[in-house]
Amino acid sequence: MSVNQQAHPGPPYGQPQPGYQGYQQPGYGGPPLPGVPQSQYGAYNGPVPGYQQPVPPQGSLRGPPASGAPPSTSGASVPAGHPGYSQFGQGDVQNGIPASAAQMHRYVRREQILTKASLGRPALPSPMQGPPLPGQTVAGPPPSQPNHVSSPPPPSSMSGPHPGPPPMGGLHGPPPPTHPPQPGYHMQQNGSFGQARGPQPNYGGAFPGTPNYGSQPGPPPPPKRLDPDSIPSPQLNELPPQQKPRHRIDPDAIPSPIQVIEDDRSNRGSEPFVTGVRGQVPPLVTTNFLVKDQGNASPRYIRCTSYNIPCTSDMAKQSQVPLAAVIKPLATLPPEETLPYLVDHGESGPVRCNRCKAYMCPFMQFIEGGRRFQCCFCSCVTEVPPHYFQHLDHTGKRVDFYDRPELSLGSYEFLATVDYCKNNKFPSPPAFIFMIDVSYNAVKSGLVRLICEELKSLLDYLPREGNMEESAIRVGFVTYNKVLHFYNVKSSLAQPQMMVVSDVADMFVPLLDGFLVNVNESRTVIASLLDQIPEMFADTRETETVFAPVIQAGLEALKAAECAGKLFIFHTSLPIAEAPGKLKNRDDRKLINTDKEKTLFQSQTSFYNNLAKDCVAQGCCVDLFLFPNQYLDVATLGVVTYHTGGSIYKYAYFQLETDRDRFLNDLRRDVQKEVGFDAVMRVRTSTGIRATDFFGAFYMSNTTDVEMAGLDCDKTITVEFKHDDKLNEDSGALLQCALLYTSCAGQRRLRIHNLSLNCCTQLADLYRNCETDTLINYLAKYAYRGVLNSPVKTVRDALVNQCAQILACYRKNCASPSSAGQLILPECMKLLPVYLNCVLKSDVLQPGPEVTTDDRAYIRQLVTSMDVAETNVFFYPRLLPLTKADVDSNSLPAAIRNSEERLSKGDIYLLENGLNIFVWVGVNVQQGLIQNLFGVSSFSQISNTLSALPILENPFSKKVRSIIDMLQGQRSRYMKLIIVKQEDKLEMLFKHFLVEDKSLSGGASYVDFLCHMHKEIRQLLS
Amino acid sequence: MATYLEFIQQNEERDGVRFSWNVWPSSRLEATRMVVPLACLLTPLKERLDLPPVQYEPVLCSRLTCKAVLNPLCQVDYRAKLWACNFCFQRNQFPPAYAGISELNQPAELMPQFSTIEYIVQRGAPTPLIFLYVVDTCLEEDDLQALKESLQMSLSLLPADALVGLITFGRMVQVHELSCEGISKSYVFRGTKDLTAKQIQDMLGLSRPAVPVQQGRPPQPQEQPVISSRFLQPVHKIDMNLTDLLGELQRDPWPVTQGKRPLRSTGVALSIAVGLLEGTFPNTGARIMLFTGGPPTQGPGMVVGDELKTPIRSWHDIEKDNARFMKKATKHYETLANRTAANGHCIDIYACALDQTGLLEMKCCANLTGGHMVMGDSFDTSLFKQTFQRVFNKGFNGEFRMAFGASLEVKTSRELKIAGAIGPCISLNAKGPCVSENELGIGGTSQWKICSLDPSTTLAIYFEVVNQHNAPIPQGGRGAVQFVTQYQHSSTQKRIRVTTIARNWADAQSQLQHIEAAFDQEAAAVLMARLGVYRAESEEGPDVLRWLDRQLIRLCQKFGQYNKDDPNSFRLSESFSLYPQFMFHLRRSPFLQVFNNSPDESSYYRHHFARQDLTQSLIMIQPILYAYSFYGPPEPVLLDSSSILPDRILLMDTFFQIVIYLGETISQWQKAGYQDMPEYENFKHLLQAPLDDAQEILQTRFPMPRYVNTEHGGSQARFLLSKVNPSQTHNNLYAWGQESGAPILTDDVSLQVFMDHLKKLAVSSAS
């Protein structure tokens, strides 16, 4: 790794470490780290010296790598050459505080790999550390690397003017922070770095949101920026001239998401995650692991930003770490895990605390021989109902502890009684209403025919309750353009009947009987209808559509049928026909980067908000499939969908050939997926904290109840907590999320998820038990909501600021004293900068020219309901070298980092972000591979309009397709497949997703951003 | 006098006109003293077997304010080819086509026997007749089934090229599109929302999109037919489709909870029907046929709320001003009726329900547009089925007995002015020199529109003599009236029927006996009755009765012969003799008495009274009673309780009901089964005779009367007992010890008492 490159003198590096150790020891000493820690620490110091040594060899090493692409083969080495880099990468990177043994392990291993990779050969490590033993090596070099990013912000800037031994000096010279920092450094901090400083000013001013940052037009005098001391690496020359100067820090020296993911996978993927212990940090979302519910909800249901909550609000404020839980109440579980058990407490309903109404859960304390129980949330003592009474054993546990899911498990369901139902009536089974736009565009594109064809078979797969033979869900059909057409598909009819309602100003449902029907009973009539719809409108010339009345119609239909349900609306255009909710085209790119930009995300009219409210009251969930050929104001059309817990799917410029499969897969999944209706979610907490803010697709009529007309297995709600009192380290903090909903068979149920967290009085504990992925999920949702009300720039600034504070707080309070120039990141948050940068660069916060207003609104809404795994891959896409895939195993090739430097011209890569899959083909890919994958003989013949790979009978093709299928299977939406040929114009689009690089729209590269963060942190600290 | 009767009859047969006075008093003053106004009953399309229409246009007087049609009363100068208008005395040239006329070669319109003549004129393209069914689906299953069958059956009765449309309503209103194959399609409207014609047309997609007129392209003439054809289709094209559609009609599916009426959007349905035709076929013959089985309960035009616990308004409520919805509903339907009439369409109402259906509020729809109004208990009765079938009856020449979009213009000689008309018409507001300032009925105009009429449709037209007393008319002078009726024949031809009549003037002082002798008491009774009924629509019942009484007394004073203050000396000449009796029965008739009738029934009776011809009107005023017995051939008998004898069968025709009543003995015989014994075949014949006669009446009557077969003591006998003159009541029966007749349990006065009072008042010098 780059880390090695710098020939840092041992001492400086070493110095911080002692502090480190010292710091840790007290806290750490206690924990029963099996010996390893100590040695590790020891090793830690050790490596440093060795670390620097290797530098020279590096040079020599470099020589050989003549191979084509620098990134793939010797990516590591490239950066190494850079002096600036080294600064960063190396000494400065100081590991925070290893959180736990496990973490240590993870950490260590990664380091190992890193070193190897970077050095190019195993021999190198030995000089540093001596023994290449895994344990040792690990311990030694790596820890230092990732964590410590040396201060020099944009090392590039330092370059020119630096007197003396610039970067190195910075590091070395001032051994401990006490020393007067080197001049060079100083200047940097102040931003007065002299002429060469060029870039810096940019940072300060432009960075937050301004395009300058990204665009930084070919950094003026690249050569100048080079540190005189930097060791030019031979490989540099291979890079395009422009790039060379820019990269001063070795990208390999900075924390790598891939590495973190891999480490976690290998460390934690094998053992099941048992939830019995309070405050355990679960494995990363990218890791495959099994969960054993032993009293806390599975991380598939709830993930927290931190599993150790500061005891006081002061601490929380100081750290700035948001306390949030990302809850996915109806998450799908892998087949190996059991679904929540259904508990029936009889006619009186679930047993609950008398005061706070919390539901019976494993944390309730039974007292007085089991006659009463004390609430774990509010401490109120409640009489145990006679029918629920059970004796306690000698430990105070109820005898039936293991027989009752609500006493022994973290997640379970209660059967609700009539008191939990609307109007005190048990609900009827829900209904699905399909509402199809039949205006000119929809018909002409073949969409209407496609939908009708698909529905014929799809209707047999409506969601069913576990063991039921047929679905209880009734279906109805509406088509519309400027007017609405309802269909009577009563089973007794020979032919369906169409009823046109043109009074769109005052919507109503023209029929009652025969609109919502059982699929099996009305099968022939429905089939006949679906056959005829495309014919009936084949010659339509109507181009205008309405929208709000369509929702109103569905709503009224559900009202009339007295049930909850879901509308599937297939819509193509901006609703400009005269009707309520009529919209005008207000798209205006000029607003971007102005104070008015927020209006692009806001609803055009409040009409839809009110409509959404009505829909929620009725339990009418709206799913929207959009097929726009131009602006259709997703921000407004999506309002109802958003507030009712529905999903939006958007297929811009829909073309039958290319988008057919994607749409149909989405539709199938959307129709079939598990969904609850008329849901209300409430999060209760133990005294001391309180759920204060909620993010997601729902509606809230008061401050505590999250209402969703529909909630499917993919929808996630992020909940933020705030202190309202002190917490107690002993008792910890408890969350109980109760979701009241109607199942697809019309059964009213309560799903309960419980989670217990630790509380801490030491900030270090907080930082040691954080989860960056969840944090990013929260921050993204927070920011994406922010753009509704504030200028995007403000939002971005706030994000950067908050993260800087988080990191600065760590540095100040937890990290061992070290040079101010050193960037020290907590182990659990070392990816925060890179991920944060991805959030900042996302289309919503920093749109490129090709991103439409609708896209931004669409993504904004999507992200709001995403779970942690989805946000993770969405912001930091997965990049897989397909050509490296092992054809014989069914594993995925190891992912690589999202940077162009890592791509080799001779390889084929796959990039996925949950919405798209790109298959990137280098210009030098072997013909055989191309033939095998695309069935064409040369690179130039590959069509980039393919929407799927051809089905070819050869191992490579099979492998790639199975990879793609596997990826598709992991995502809630069918991803669009885009073939990108290197140097083709589509490549621009692809590059947009190489998030570690500078983006065209002005997003900073990872390295640049890291420097910027560092600067921010230092400013905070000083 | 026989001559006058013949004259009257002859005139009626030829011209379809009956005047109250056939010799006219020559001054305004004298005319007013005649009490009964100078007026006539005109049957514009009276069926004439011997009247072949002529195939040319009428010749009009060239004076713009006159434009009278050339007629046999005009003076013609055959040599100069000039004719003088007999109304304005303008001399006119004959048109070139008449160059060949001479005394011997006269055109038909100059021949005296053609005082009524019909022209067929070719103007514009003929448009097919239109029938738009507006069907209530809030019916009981049986009712709906019967109605559906009737409607399906009717399709075969329509002219093949007629356009037909279907609107159904219940809680919602559905306009069915008839052109489409496969899927049946309908436009649905909320039943609670009043929509403007424009909105309706927009929502039905009838408003033509504003297509910029492009150069070089003809302004698409097909646009309109194409659009409208979606809802109105030629019967021959879609009768299969429509039959199926009607067959699939379901009862209104919206649940009706206990204690509620179904929600029925009659008001909106009618509004949409009107709007649909207004937008597509204005000024074309069209019938909107409303079939309803209950009162409108929601939306504009609602008559009663949906709570069953609040009953529909009664006369009592109306008098107490307790009918919440009446005014608003009436206004709604009046607006609709006026729009319909303005478009030349008509609305029929077929209301079949045991309770009221809101005819009171909706009556104007039929009244103003000349539509039919039919009231029955259920659609599943022969009364409805046959009546409905009869709408499509054909005349002797195989043509439908219906005509559309007629306008009637009346021209008078200058001594006369037009005071108004009463009948199924609306004013066209044509002011002119011959329009009187005094209005009787619908006045202030010389032209009326009759959107739909049949050969029996009869209007009462009232005149005013304006000649001043001091400007005597020369001896032998005649006054003339010309009726010009333009209409769309059922064959869709445009036709004009012109009737010109003349009557002699007479000086009332010197020639009163002539005037008296030429009095048509039947016509006068009907004309007075129409005035009375017309007044009753807007005035309090007792006021109308008082007015009628006063008129009768004044008439008796004027034309009776008596000694002052000696009731016993009172005599009326033969031409007046029946008149008081008519008035007696009129006073008791449901047209003026609301007691025992619901507001709907009153509206229904009055509707028919205002449009039937003289004979039928007289039957309505004074029902006919025939007696069948072994003592002789069937004979008409007095409508009197004394006619009810045990050994008689009575047949009463009240127009609305046909009652066969078996006397006590006959009834017993029948129950004993004598009619089945061969030796009593004559009894069987006796029983059969009234049935046959009743059948004959039933065959021709429209609407089909209620047919009541009852016997002495039967509950249905009340129909008879309520009509006969109660000469014997519980008050006087035993006192007088009479043995024949049947006592009537009533406190109503009998004819005898009425006459006694009349005589007393007539001869009294006090009044």
Side-chain angles (χ1 to χ4, degrees), chain B residues 30-219:
Chain B
E30 289 302 328
T32 51
R33 285 185 182 158
M34 299 291 132
V35 183
V36 172
L38 173 56
C40 72
L41 287 166
L42 168 71
T43 309
L45 298 189
K46 183 167 179 60
E47 218 159 25
R48 286 278 305 273
L49 300 153
D50 54 342
L51 182 70
V54 297
Q55 305 265 354
Y56 52 83
E57 301 245 347
V59 175
L60 303 184
C61 170
S62 60
R63 190 185 294 247
L64 283 176
T65 51
C66 175
K67 288 195 164 182
V69 179
L70 178 62
N71 62 70
L73 302 176
C74 294
Q75 288 195 337
V76 178
D77 182 340
Y78 289 101
R79 269 180 305 165
K81 310 284 185 237
L82 290 173
W83 63 278
C85 172
N86 61 327
F87 293 98
C88 68
F89 306 113
Q90 167 83 12
R91 295 172 71 80
N92 298 288
Q93 291 277 345
F94 278 107
Y98 284 65
I101 62 167
S102 68
E103 278 97 337
L104 299 176
N105 183 19
Q106 287 182 349
E109 64 263 39
L110 286 179
M111 298 180 195
Q113 68 267 37
F114 285 104
S115 59
T116 291
I117 187 167
E118 186 151 316
Y119 301 86
I120 296 178
V121 297
Q122 311 292 341
R123 274 182 220 154
T127 43
L129 299 183
I130 298 164
F131 297 87
L132 179 54
Y133 294 161
V134 182
V135 182
D136 179 3
T137 54
C138 298
L139 301 177
E140 294 303 318
E141 204 56 70
D142 306 348
D143 251 16
L144 183 61
Q145 192 52 38
L147 176 57
K148 278 152 67 170
E149 282 163 13
S150 285
L151 293 175
Q152 287 170 328
M153 175 276 302
S154 73
L155 296 181
S156 61
L157 302 176
L158 296 176
D161 61 344
L163 301 182
V164 61
L166 176 66
I167 294 177
T168 55
F169 66 94
R171 184 175 176 140
M172 312 274 173
V173 180
Q174 295 187 45
V175 184
H176 296 266
E177 196 173 310
L178 301 176
S179 57
C180 52
E181 306 274 313
I183 239 173
S184 72
K185 204 169 165 185
S186 60
Y187 283 67
V188 189
F189 295 82
R190 207 188 260 276
T192 51
K193 193 171 169 191
D194 201 6
L195 298 164
T196 65
K198 171 89 172 53
Q199 283 174 312
I200 290 169
Q201 288 155 22
D202 281 350
M203 289 177 186
L204 290 175
L206 297 176
S207 35
R208 261 171 291 181
V211 181
V213 182
Q214 292 177 347
Q215 291 287 324
R217 274 179 62 191

Side-chain angles (χ1 to χ4, degrees), chain A residues 494 496-500 502-503 506-512 529 532 536, chain B residues 172 174 182-190 193 203-204 248 253-255:
Chain A
Q497 292 174 347
M498 176 202 246
M499 300 182 148
V500 185
S502 16
D503 188 2
D506 192 6
M507 206 56 218
F508 63 98
V509 184
L511 75 171
L512 182 63
L529 172 68
Q532 289 184 65
M536 275 192 292
Chain B
M172 312 274 173
Q174 295 187 45
I183 239 173
S184 72
K185 204 169 165 185
S186 60
Y187 283 67
V188 189
F189 295 82
R190 207 188 260 276
K193 193 171 169 191
M203 289 177 186
L204 290 175
E248 284 209 328
W254 299 88

Side-chain angles (χ1 to χ4, degrees), chain B residues 640-697:
Chain B
D640 192 296
S641 58
S642 61
S643 301
I644 305 172
L645 299 176
D647 51 357
R648 267 181 180 176
I649 303 174
L650 293 174
L651 169 65
M652 182 178 73
D653 177 7
T654 72
F655 185 84
F656 298 104
Q657 296 106 14
I658 305 276
V659 182
I660 293 175
Y661 172 89
L662 307 183
E664 193 172 5
T665 317
I666 303 267
S667 161
Q668 282 162 356
W669 286 343
Q670 191 209 24
K671 278 176 190 146
Y674 283 98
Q675 69 276 18
D676 300 329
M677 301 178 194
E679 61 271 39
Y680 292 103
E681 205 184 19
N682 58 343
F683 179 58
K684 188 180 171 189
H685 288 152
L686 182 66
L687 283 177
Q688 190 57 42
L691 295 179
D692 292 344
D693 289 352
Q695 269 322 309
E696 212 164 293
I697 301 171

Side-chain angles (χ1 to χ4, degrees), chain A residues 302-313:
Chain A
I302 309 183
R303 276 183 179 269
C304 294
T305 51
S306 170
Y307 289 83
N308 210 327
I309 299 182
C311 277
T312 64
S313 69

Side-chain angles (χ1 to χ4, degrees), chain A residues 393-520:
Chain A
D393 65 10
H394 62 284
T395 59
K397 254 189 201 167
R398 278 171 62 119
V399 178
D400 58 355
F401 181 82
Y402 290 105
D403 302 334
R404 292 197 177 267
E406 75 273 24
L407 297 181
S408 51
L409 296 180
S411 302
Y412 44 87
E413 292 199 323
F414 284 119
L415 198 58
T417 60
V418 80
D419 299 334
Y420 294 81
C421 302
K422 210 183 273 176
N423 306 327
N424 277 334
K425 242 166 67 181
F426 278 115
S428 5
F432 280 2
I433 305 178
F434 297 92
M435 317 184 93
I436 307 167
D437 180 349
V438 288
S439 64
Y440 179 76
N441 280 338
V443 174
K444 196 176 136 236
S445 63
L447 180 65
V448 173
R449 189 173 294 276
L450 180 66
I451 295 170
C452 290
E453 278 304 313
E454 178 61 24
L455 283 183
K456 274 193 243 170
S457 50
L458 186 55
L459 291 179
D460 287 330
Y461 299 98
L462 298 179
R464 287 175 294 173
E465 193 93 78
N467 46 6
M468 289 175 66
E469 273 189 16
E470 70 176 36
S471 173
I473 291 174
R474 289 174 295 163
V475 295
F477 302 89
V478 172
T479 57
Y480 66 95
N481 41 44
K482 232 163 67 175
V483 298
L484 278 80
H485 320 111
F486 294 78
Y487 296 93
N488 185 347
V489 283
K490 202 169 160 181
S491 54
S492 59
L493 293 175
Q495 277 284 332
Q497 292 174 347
M498 176 202 246
M499 300 182 148
V500 185
V501 173
S502 16
D503 188 2
V504 289
D506 192 6
M507 206 56 218
F508 63 98
V509 184
L511 75 171
L512 182 63
D513 199 18
F515 180 63
L516 294 177
V517 296
N518 176 296
V519 176
N520 282 330

Side-chain angles (χ1 to χ4, degrees), chain A residues 709-1012:
Chain A
L711 174 69
D712 62 49
C713 56
D714 296 324
K715 292 285 176 300
T716 310
I717 297 110
T718 297
V719 184
E720 188 183 3
F721 302 96
K722 289 256 163 66
H723 285 80
D724 56 7
D725 204 347
K726 268 191 176 164
L727 291 168
N728 186 325
E729 251 181 312
D730 296 333
S731 53
L734 300 176
L735 308 181
Q736 183 176 70
C737 161
L739 178 81
L740 175 64
Y741 72 101
T742 305
S743 78
C744 60
Q747 201 176 48
R748 200 79 173 142
R749 295 183 186 162
L750 280 152
R751 180 171 285 203
I752 314 289
H753 298 297
N754 300 294
L755 185 65
S756 59
L757 302 171
N758 282 328
C759 297
C760 61
T761 48
Q762 297 296 319
L763 278 170
D765 291 332
L766 166 68
Y767 283 100
R768 207 183 292 139
N769 290 288
C770 281
E771 214 199 315
T772 304
D773 291 333
T774 312
L775 194 59
I776 287 295
N777 180 285
Y778 165 84
L779 289 175
K781 289 181 181 178
Y782 180 78
Y784 280 18
R785 186 172 71 183
V787 298
L788 282 180
N789 306 312
S790 319
V792 172
K793 179 179 182 308
T794 317
V795 173
R796 292 163 48 98
D797 286 349
L799 268 188
V800 173
N801 191 32
Q802 184 172 12
C803 289
Q805 291 198 20
I806 292 173
L807 297 176
C809 171
Y810 172 78
R811 171 66 190 262
K812 192 169 161 196
N813 299 297
C814 309
S816 54
S818 62
S819 142
Q822 283 185 324
L823 173 59
I824 302 178
L825 299 174
E827 170 63 23
C828 286
M829 289 187 187
K830 64 184 169 193
L831 296 181
L832 186 59
V834 60
Y835 285 166
L836 179 69
N837 188 32
C838 296
V839 173
L840 291 172
K841 291 162 77 158
S842 62
D843 289 341
V844 173
L845 295 182
Q846 194 161 36
E850 78 290 348
V851 180
T852 65
T853 304
D854 274 347
D855 285 334
R856 298 177 73 195
Y858 175 60
I859 290 176
R860 198 187 73 78
Q861 292 206 5
L862 279 189
V863 167
T864 315
S865 300
M866 280 185 180
D867 67 8
V868 180
E870 284 171 319
T871 47
N872 174 269
V873 77
F874 177 76
F875 288 113
Y876 193 88
R878 180 144 57 151
L879 182 58
L880 305 173
L882 291 179
T883 29
K884 299 275 192 305
D886 179 359
V887 189
D888 299 322
S889 86
N890 53 8
S891 62
L892 292 175
I896 59 172
R897 296 175 64 172
N898 284 321
S899 169
E900 195 175 358
E901 290 168 19
R902 318 269 166 176
L903 303 180
S904 138
K905 283 182 180 178
D907 285 322
I908 300 175
Y909 297 86
L910 178 148
L911 181 141
E912 67 118 351
N913 72 341
L915 297 181
N916 299 304
I917 291 182
F918 292 92
V919 172
W920 184 89
V921 189
V923 284
N924 292 345
V925 174
Q926 289 170 16
Q927 256 186 8
L929 283 179
I930 290 179
Q931 181 71 45
N932 279 345
L933 195 56
F934 298 101
V936 296
S937 54
S938 73
F939 178 79
S940 60
Q941 283 174 298
I942 301 173
S943 157
N944 53 15
T945 58
L946 286 179
S947 62
L949 292 174
I951 298 172
L952 301 173
E953 283 304 312
N954 63 69
F956 184 56
S957 172
K958 276 185 193 162
K959 176 66 188 173
V960 171
R961 282 183 287 115
S962 82
I963 290 178
I964 291 176
D965 288 347
M966 187 194 298
L967 296 178
Q968 295 282 26
Q970 289 173 0
R971 305 292 168 216
S972 60
R973 285 158 190 262
Y974 197 81
M975 293 177 278
K976 182 178 186 173
L977 181 69
I978 303 169
I979 309 289
V980 179
K981 297 199 281 181
Q982 190 179 9
E983 290 168 9
D984 190 74
K985 58 179 187 294
L986 266 182
E987 203 185 10
M988 298 302 288
L989 187 59
F990 173 73
K991 283 183 179 168
H992 182 64
F993 293 94
L994 296 175
V995 289
E996 289 198 18
D997 294 342
K998 194 158 79 97
S999 76
L1000 286 171
S1001 51
S1005 70
Y1006 179 13
V1007 172
D1008 290 347
F1009 182 70
L1010 196 57
C1011 297
H1012 175 67

